[in-house]
Amino acid sequence: MRTAQHPATRHWRHAVAPGGLPLAGHALLMGRKPLQFLASLPAHGDLVELRLGPRPVYLPCHPELIQQVLVNARVYDTGGPVKEKAKPILGNGLITSDWADHRRQRRLVQPAFHTARIAKYAEVMERECEAESTAWTARRPIDVSHEMLALTARVTARALFSTDMAPHAVAEIQHCLPIVVEGAYRQAIDPTGLLAKLPLAANRGFDDALARLNQLIDRMIDDYKASDDGDRGDVLSALFAAQDDETGGTMSDQEIHDQVMTLLLAGIETTASALTWTWFLLGRNPLAEAALHAEVDEVLGGRAPRYADVPRLAYTQRVFSEALRLFPPAWLFTRTTTETTELGGRRLPPASDVLISPYVLHRDPALFPRPESFDPDRWLPERAKEVTRGSYLPFGGGSRKCIGDVFGMTEATLTLAAIAGRWRMRPIPGTKIRPRPQMSLTAGPLRMIPEPR
Ligand code: HEM
């Protein structure tokens, strides 16, 4: 285990990542096998420098250095080329805003995620999980990725907009979101920025899906304003009601639009990917699967799970936490320095890009013994306190920590319990699956067979 020392007194190990080429630097390695390449770097140093084309970028591998970056949001702001490319899609919302405006936005959006509101969204989760777990046919294979994405899209859409228009919204979101997410990722990794401008079918599909999502959000906003329902208990009502304690300001329609788009893009695929990985891991770990079934049977006794059951579904939560460790959907995110600063004894000029990779951190054997093994009991309270502070970051950290963490954990716990109460998810022998490090760390199609329990 790594020991904590005062950052100023510590001797940090710097390294340049091996394998760089004269012009491309490490861009090819990053393009071909980003997970393997990045995960090999902590062995070289606490702060590793790599070059993506001409630009040096820095990967802090030690939890203390990562914390320094995450808690100092003014100096390490979100930024850089990836954020610029996201702005036409996400507008100016929580993910794309600069540090100063982010604080104001966060004060306005946070009330939509208070505990009392999560309890309300959980009613949607309960209903949708029940519908999902009763819709399957015994022994007919399903694509788990597809099912989990459809479920999290329904939950998020109905938590955002709880009106009669919800079924239409769900269908639009299910159709458009994967196209937008895929297109956004293609644009994010295109170093030339030209790809999006070419008259390709994929670009037309992306433009069409994005326009449809934008129209949908506008219609929901118009519908809310035209009705005099007041607080419907959904996210949209909370965004309209939000008032800044410090300034008394509220959000304009455009700002609400951008926050809704941000929540759709940040909340659906992430949770679905993590749930898919969870079923994959359970399929390969019969002991963990049996322990999950035992807990669900004991807590629920054959009925559907309710929000009030969540605290007692402790093993279920540990299973999900461990899946988030091995396959964190947000496998990589970035910060850009706004001024000259120093990280781990190294001077970083303004506009330096810093990569934060929960995937790398979570698989470092110095932080997690036997990192490759799926061991939900790492998260038993007595063992979890041995985990080095700051080494588990599935939801990020600092002021930009995921606003939907409790929403996502609640949704995942109810989903796992609802399905595990009815079905054993049998893997199909020979099924090959490899992590796809895209916008989130997805599993691709995963066929499994639901067997009645
Ligand atoms: C298991 C599921 C999820 C994971 C692993 C996850 C992960 C993350 C991470 C790592 C960040 C921080 C990114 C950064 O620092 O640059 C983040 C931010 C964010 N997430 Fe999540 N997320 C999940 C679910 C959700 C859900 C369900 C929602 C909304 C309903 C959501 C909405 C957001 C938003 C709006 C941000 C930006 C927050 C800000 O900058 O203030 N996420 N998420």
Side-chain angles (χ1 to χ4, degrees):
M1 281 281 157
R2 282 176 167 162
T3 47
Q5 283 178 28
H6 193 275
T9 57
R10 235 196 111 106
H11 173 68
W12 298 104
R13 293 177 305 135
H14 300 153
V16 174
L21 296 172
L23 284 175
H26 302 89
L28 292 178
L29 284 166
M30 267 303 273
R32 276 199 207 120
K33 294 195 164 177
L35 297 175
Q36 288 92 325
F37 172 58
L38 289 175
S40 71
L41 298 180
H44 298 282
D46 299 313
L47 181 69
V48 180
E49 181 179 330
L50 43 150
R51 271 188 311 105
L52 299 180
R55 284 168 79 93
V57 298
Y58 300 89
L59 179 79
C61 300
H62 193 287
E64 282 176 44
L65 296 182
I66 293 173
Q67 281 307 310
Q68 282 183 41
V69 173
L70 291 178
V71 301
N72 200 348
R74 188 183 61 76
V75 174
Y76 298 94
D77 203 351
T78 57
V82 172
K83 178 158 133 184
E84 288 314 308
K85 287 182 195 162
K87 278 185 179 166
I89 303 166
L90 296 174
N92 178 27
L94 281 177
I95 289 181
T96 43
S97 51
D98 294 336
W99 172 77
D101 196 35
H102 177 264
R103 296 175 64 215
R104 177 189 67 89
Q105 292 193 16
R106 187 86 187 206
R107 286 197 299 273
L108 285 160
V109 182
Q110 195 69 57
F113 289 88
H114 281 169
T115 316
R117 297 208 72 95
I118 301 277
K120 199 80 192 134
Y121 311 147
E123 292 171 17
V124 174
M125 297 172 190
E126 289 167 6
R127 274 200 305 279
E128 293 298 340
C129 289
E130 176 68 359
E132 180 73 25
S133 65
T134 51
W136 300 345
T137 306
R139 286 174 283 280
R140 184 187 293 166
I142 54 163
D143 175 1
V144 177
S145 282
H146 175 84
E147 295 298 326
M148 293 300 109
L149 192 64
L151 174 63
T152 59
R154 288 201 304 273
V155 166
T156 310
R158 288 175 189 265
L160 282 167
F161 323 114
S162 65
T163 67
D164 296 346
M165 286 163 75
H168 170 67
V170 169
E172 271 301 83
I173 291 168
Q174 276 184 11
H175 173 76
C176 298
L177 191 83
I179 303 173
V180 171
V181 170
E182 206 264 328
Y185 176 70
R186 258 187 305 121
Q187 292 181 15
I189 58 165
D190 169 23
T192 65
L194 295 174
L195 199 66
K197 301 189 174 71
L198 298 177
L200 303 172
N203 286 340
R204 282 195 295 278
F206 170 80
D207 292 343
D208 174 61
L210 183 61
R212 281 169 65 174
L213 272 188
N214 277 320
Q215 282 159 13
L216 173 81
I217 297 170
D218 286 341
R219 272 207 305 282
M220 291 296 172
I221 288 177
D222 290 346
D223 171 65
Y224 179 84
K225 286 170 56 180
S227 74
D228 46 14
D229 292 354
D231 187 356
R232 296 168 176 165
D234 57 14
V235 173
L236 193 60
S237 308
L239 297 179
F240 268 103
Q243 201 169 20
D244 190 344
D245 299 341
E246 288 186 16
T247 64
T250 55
M251 277 185 280
S252 67
D253 289 2
Q254 185 59 49
E255 284 182 302
I256 290 178
H257 177 115
D258 292 350
Q259 301 302 0
V260 169
M261 185 63 99
T262 300
L263 294 170
L264 288 175
L265 261 90
I268 295 177
E269 203 197 43
T270 41
T271 316
S273 301
L275 279 166
T276 305
W277 283 117
T278 309
W279 293 119
F280 168 76
L281 289 163
L282 286 167
R284 290 164 34 129
N285 291 276
L287 289 178
E289 185 191 50
L292 173 71
H293 289 161
E295 174 175 276
V296 167
D297 293 349
E298 191 200 316
V299 173
L300 304 178
R303 65 173 168 78
R306 310 293 307 262
Y307 178 56
D309 299 317
V310 170
R312 288 201 298 145
L313 292 165
Y315 188 76
T316 312
Q317 294 190 50
R318 290 206 289 280
V319 163
F320 190 65
S321 299
E322 181 66 346
L324 284 175
R325 183 184 69 79
L326 280 167
F327 297 105
W331 62 284
L332 186 71
F333 48 88
T334 60
R335 294 292 186 266
T336 303
T337 54
T338 53
E339 57 185 50
T340 302
T341 189
E342 191 241 271
L343 184 63
R346 164 122 214 180
R347 186 179 161 280
L348 305 190
S352 298
D353 291 324
V354 179
L355 305 178
I356 306 287
S357 175
Y359 182 91
V360 170
L361 197 61
H362 294 177
R363 286 176 181 250
D364 183 342
L367 298 169
F368 293 98
R370 297 173 51 242
E372 307 291 323
S373 86
F374 176 67
D375 177 9
D377 283 341
R378 285 180 206 275
W379 304 108
L380 275 169
E382 62 275 19
R383 283 180 64 193
K385 59 177 196 277
E386 300 297 317
V387 173
T388 309
R389 216 174 132 253
S391 60
Y392 180 64
L393 296 176
F395 295 107
S399 57
R400 298 190 101 114
K401 183 171 181 219
C402 179
I403 204 167
D405 55 355
V406 177
F407 185 113
M409 279 303 290
T410 308
E411 181 182 10
T413 308
L414 291 172
T415 303
L416 293 171
I419 293 173
R422 283 208 158 84
W423 305 100
R424 187 169 95 77
M425 302 295 286
R426 199 153 55 77
I428 299 182
T431 302
K432 287 228 165 30
I433 185 163
R434 65 180 170 80
R436 300 179 182 197
Q438 300 175 342
M439 200 65 105
S440 47
L441 189 59
T442 59
L446 171 65
R447 283 162 68 74
M448 293 183 89
I449 299 173
E451 297 240 4
R453 290 197 46 228

